[in-house]
Amino acid sequence: ASSAALTRPGLGALASVVHGKAGWLAVGGVATGVPSRPVVVVSASGTRWQAAGGETAFAGPGIAVNQAAAGRSGYVIVGRQIIPARTVTNRTVVRGHEHVTSQVIPSRTVAAAWWSSRLTGWTRGAGVTAGDLAGTGSPQMVGVTAAGAGFVAVGSAGRAPAAWTSSDGRHWRRTSLGSPVGASAALLQQVAAQRNLIVATGTKTTATGTAPFAAYSTDRGTSWREVPLGAPGGFASV
């Protein structure tokens, strides 16, 4: 591997790697010792790597990437962005007198996705509606998989699990899942697909602590059902 692509200031890690029609993609981040920033590296052969995290699509504060997937339409990376607080100043003139008011817009977290057909020219994904990636509840994408011709991502919005579907990796629609039975919060972290069946797993917070949580969809991520998990050592039944 080329040192320029993988050696960075600060403490970093690669968290996900996939292979697709144009080669290999690995993603992670640098979070200790310097300002947090994503790490995106690509390779045609798997033996020599080039950095792609410097592309314009990854610019901006507070970006973190979690996982990548490769499918028929290309490559997808998912994560989140923490948009910092900002102050907006408004000036109005009434009867010749200027009035200045300031409004502080608090920081917020939005779900984020990036798409590329061949590991170059990355573009930022968008929601089908304004609330699909932004909205309330600090949404974040944690896991992603190719599903059919498109992609399915999972994560959370607020204290509830959430899922996103995309037919092309560029336009995303969010589906809110109800919190698991008896849980005060839940997060989906991994997702896999086989034909029309999609299975996602994560964790939920209950009155007695943290427990595993799973859900499945048979319509490519449009609707979901919780899987009742048995005691350790047993099998779940659908």
Side-chain angles (χ1 to χ4, degrees):
S2 61
S3 60
L6 298 180
T7 302
R8 314 287 179 87
L11 179 63
L14 291 173
S16 176
V17 61
V18 295
H19 181 266
K21 59 186 179 181
W24 298 86
L25 166 66
V27 300
V30 175
T32 303
V34 294
S36 175
R37 66 183 189 279
V39 174
V40 180
V41 291
V42 300
S43 174
S45 63
T47 59
R48 293 192 61 82
W49 294 81
Q50 294 179 317
E55 292 196 22
T56 304
F58 300 104
I63 288 177
V65 297
N66 291 322
Q67 199 171 77
R72 298 179 192 174
S73 61
Y75 298 80
V76 159
I77 302 170
V78 300
R80 69 182 186 278
Q81 181 177 14
I82 301 174
I83 300 175
R86 60 191 178 95
T87 301
V88 176
T89 302
N90 299 309
R91 290 181 171 85
T92 58
V93 177
V94 178
R95 296 179 180 180
H97 298 281
E98 183 181 53
H99 297 267
V100 179
T101 59
S102 296
Q103 178 185 8
V104 177
I105 299 177
S107 64
R108 60 193 180 101
T109 300
V110 299
W114 297 262
W115 171 87
S116 172
S117 63
R118 299 192 61 83
L119 297 178
T120 60
W122 289 91
T123 60
R124 182 80 173 255
V128 175
T129 67
D132 284 322
L133 296 182
T136 60
S138 299
Q140 60 173 329
M141 292 179 171
V142 180
V144 64
T145 188
F151 298 88
V152 175
V154 296
S156 66
R159 300 180 66 83
W164 291 261
T165 57
S166 175
S167 61
D168 57 8
R170 287 164 283 184
H171 304 90
W172 295 85
R173 185 184 301 276
R174 186 172 86 186
T175 298
S176 297
L177 285 69
S179 293
V181 176
S184 59
L187 166 69
L188 288 173
Q189 298 164 292
Q190 302 90 20
V191 60
Q194 182 189 35
R195 297 179 182 174
N196 291 334
L197 176 62
I198 302 168
V199 175
T201 62
T203 57
K204 62 182 179 180
T205 302
T206 67
T208 57
T210 301
F213 163 56
Y216 73 94
S217 171
T218 57
D219 54 11
R220 298 189 185 277
T222 301
S223 61
W224 294 79
R225 292 182 60 186
E226 180 183 355
V227 178
L229 297 179
F235 290 92
S237 59
V238 175

